[in-house]
Amino acid sequence: IAYQTAYLKAHYPAEYMASVLSNNMNDIKAVSFFMEECKRMGLAVLGPDLNESFLKFSVNAEGAVRFGMAAVNGVGAAAVRAIIREREENGHYSSIFDLAKRVDLRAANKKSFDSLIKAGAFDSFTDTHRAQYFATDEKGLTFLERAMKFGSKYQENENSAQVSMFGEASTVQFPEPDIPECETWGTMETLGKEKEVVGIYISAHPLDDFKNELSFCNANLSHFKEDLSKYVGMNLSFAGIITDVQHRISKAGKGWATFFIEDYYNNNEFRIFGEEYLKFRHFLVPNSFLFIKTVIKAGWINKNTGVAGEPRLQFTDFKLLHDTMDELCKKITIQIPVQEVTEDHITNLQQLLETNPGKQNLYFTIWDEKEKIELNLPSRIPKIKITNELLSTLEKEQINFKLN
């Protein structure tokens, strides 16, 4: 079996991973693990889509793994089968109104549509965005509810159409409800609703915007699931998003808190007391992106038994991830192969760097792969400001760099 599965994974990677994900569809941790494996393999995992998804995970025409609609909480198998059956018989859905007119609304109800919208399954309808479906009118009805009422009336009319004396079916035309104007959801709200109905982030991760800042971490939350005794005396720095906070008061009247933080790999609950709580409590706000430094201390010695207790955390610093680049990054080293040291390339690079004046140091590493020679040089131009916009530009220009 091991040889057979290894063969399938090597030669049919998308189909193999779609099957593995389908078999673990009800286990969110397993789905998260295998989605990370897909990323490692270079396989794209796309969210659910009304016009492409099936009941379980599948592979689309481009070779990407597509999320199964039944993996979305609140969406029953009957609703998915009704959507797929109509799609296979009469083609793709072109809009919410086309969907409401065609699909069996007794099987696919409002709850199913609510969840599918939040998961992004309606994103292929280019004339509407997710927030619009939940915008209410003066009567308090959401646009989704009005669209479903329209579809229900249309279907009732189709089913009860009377044949006229000329032998033609008489139908009543119903106007489509107006699509409301409203702002799109922000990134955090969009991702939060995805996680609400799927259990994981699908289209992106909240930390994607901080990939450069994460380079200053030497640990992640998985470390805190291990035996901390091997880290005693070490400084561990990690980053994540606060998902929940509970501020409390002890019997002695002192404040303390528990907070949950999440990163790409895991989530963990921490407790903070005493002076550390008073010093850092203003950072403990849900949906805050934090960079945290800790020291792992040896456990307290029991006076009676002389046995040390469990290792403990001492929080030494909290920072907003937005501020990490300014406060922790001291320099950037731009790495240039010797064959690219041309007048045009250096002029373009100089113009880019001079438009970002700041307080951080700039260095260059010129290297020759053939001769195995490397030369490190400080920059002559004034110091620069290292921003994510600058780093993104360097990446687009395929210029390698290192942050310190």
Side-chain angles (χ1 to χ4, degrees):
I1 291 173
Y3 278 110
Q4 289 172 340
T5 53
Y7 176 87
L8 291 172
K9 188 175 182 180
H11 295 281
Y12 303 94
E15 291 79 0
Y16 174 79
M17 292 308 297
S19 178
V20 171
L21 284 161
S22 294
N23 287 333
N24 292 276
M25 204 161 60
N26 297 320
D27 185 342
I28 292 301
K29 284 191 175 181
V31 169
S32 299
F33 174 82
F34 289 118
M35 284 184 69
E36 285 299 320
E37 176 65 5
C38 288
K39 286 182 183 178
R40 188 197 65 77
M41 295 166 63
L43 283 176
V45 180
L46 307 176
D49 184 276
L50 284 172
N51 286 325
E52 201 169 79
S53 291
F54 290 91
L55 189 72
K56 297 183 178 182
F57 288 81
S58 57
V59 180
N60 68 7
E62 287 73 41
V65 177
R66 178 64 79 173
F67 228 88
M69 286 189 279
V72 180
N73 292 332
V75 182
V80 177
R81 291 191 180 100
I83 292 169
I84 295 172
R85 182 169 57 248
E86 172 59 28
R87 185 182 76 200
E88 291 179 338
E89 290 176 1
N90 297 301
H92 285 184
Y93 303 105
S94 59
S95 68
I96 176 61
F97 305 119
D98 184 41
L99 175 70
K101 288 193 292 187
R102 290 168 50 190
V103 78
D104 183 356
L105 296 177
R106 294 168 298 180
N109 56 24
K110 177 180 174 293
K111 183 180 179 183
S112 298
F113 285 169
D114 270 355
S115 295
L116 287 170
I117 290 166
K118 291 175 181 177
F122 284 38
D123 287 358
S124 55
F125 300 154
T126 55
D127 55 346
T128 49
H129 57 75
R130 299 185 199 184
Q132 287 175 308
Y133 295 103
F134 299 95
T136 56
D137 62 10
E138 63 279 359
K139 295 180 181 179
L141 292 175
T142 64
F143 170 57
L144 175 61
E145 290 171 326
R146 289 188 285 121
M148 292 188 70
K149 282 192 173 185
F150 160 79
S152 182
K153 286 182 179 179
Y154 178 90
Q155 291 183 22
E156 286 176 11
N157 182 68
E158 287 289 299
N159 293 333
S160 62
Q162 299 295 316
V163 178
S164 71
M165 61 184 294
F166 299 104
E168 297 176 346
S170 61
T171 59
V172 178
Q173 295 296 318
F174 296 103
E176 295 178 351
D178 293 331
I179 299 174
E181 293 292 330
C182 69
E183 294 290 327
T184 59
W185 289 335
T187 302
M188 278 306 302
E189 187 171 8
T190 299
L191 296 177
K193 291 185 184 298
E194 285 181 3
K195 190 172 183 182
E196 174 190 329
V197 296
V198 181
I200 54 176
Y201 303 112
I202 305 175
S203 57
H205 192 283
L207 292 173
D208 286 346
D209 293 335
F210 299 99
K211 61 179 181 179
N212 294 310
E213 286 84 350
L214 294 178
S215 65
F216 297 102
C217 299
N218 65 3
N220 59 62
L221 292 176
S222 300
H223 288 75
F224 298 95
K225 302 288 186 182
E226 303 173 13
D227 179 8
L228 287 179
S229 60
K230 61 183 178 182
Y231 300 120
V232 168
M234 293 179 60
N235 294 290
L236 298 183
S237 56
F238 62 96
I241 177 174
I242 298 284
T243 56
D244 186 50
V245 179
Q246 298 293 327
H247 294 275
R248 305 178 186 277
I249 302 293
S250 69
K251 292 180 180 179
K254 295 182 179 181
W256 63 284
T258 62
F259 63 95
F260 283 86
I261 191 166
E262 179 179 299
D263 64 10
Y264 280 113
Y265 311 97
N266 225 309
N267 60 72
N268 200 58
E269 179 186 13
F270 293 97
R271 298 186 177 194
I272 184 168
F273 304 90
E275 294 295 326
E276 295 167 33
Y277 172 74
L278 295 175
K279 186 177 180 181
F280 301 123
R281 63 182 176 183
H282 58 285
F283 287 101
L284 302 179
V285 179
N287 295 326
S288 292
F289 295 88
L290 298 182
F291 176 85
I292 301 174
K293 288 184 177 182
T294 64
V295 177
I296 310 300
K297 298 279 191 177
W300 302 111
I301 303 295
N302 186 306
K303 293 180 180 179
N304 297 322
T305 63
V307 177
E310 292 293 319
R312 54 194 174 85
L313 271 68
Q314 179 182 332
F315 294 97
T316 57
D317 195 19
F318 278 60
K319 282 182 174 65
L320 293 176
L321 262 180
H322 295 85
D323 301 330
T324 304
M325 190 66 71
D326 281 342
E327 297 185 25
L328 296 183
C329 186
K330 305 303 180 185
K331 71 174 184 178
I332 180 172
T333 302
I334 294 178
Q335 302 162 329
I336 308 175
V338 69
Q339 61 268 24
E340 293 182 13
V341 182
T342 63
E343 185 174 350
D344 288 343
H345 185 72
I346 297 303
T347 299
N348 292 336
L349 188 56
Q350 182 178 4
Q351 290 173 350
L352 171 63
L353 296 171
E354 286 181 342
T355 57
N356 289 273
K359 299 179 180 179
Q360 289 151 310
N361 294 314
L362 173 63
Y363 287 79
F364 292 96
T365 296
I366 311 299
W367 53 278
D368 188 329
E369 178 67 26
K370 185 178 180 180
E371 299 293 335
K372 305 297 181 185
I373 297 173
E374 184 177 285
L375 181 64
N376 298 305
L377 302 167
S379 170
R380 284 185 172 184
I381 70 170
K383 295 181 179 182
I384 65 170
K385 181 176 178 61
I386 302 171
T387 64
N388 281 317
E389 290 75 15
L390 171 63
L391 300 179
S392 295
T393 304
L394 292 174
E395 288 177 347
K396 288 178 183 176
E397 297 291 332
Q398 297 184 327
I399 298 173
N400 294 324
F401 60 86
K402 181 180 179 181
L403 302 174
N404 295 102

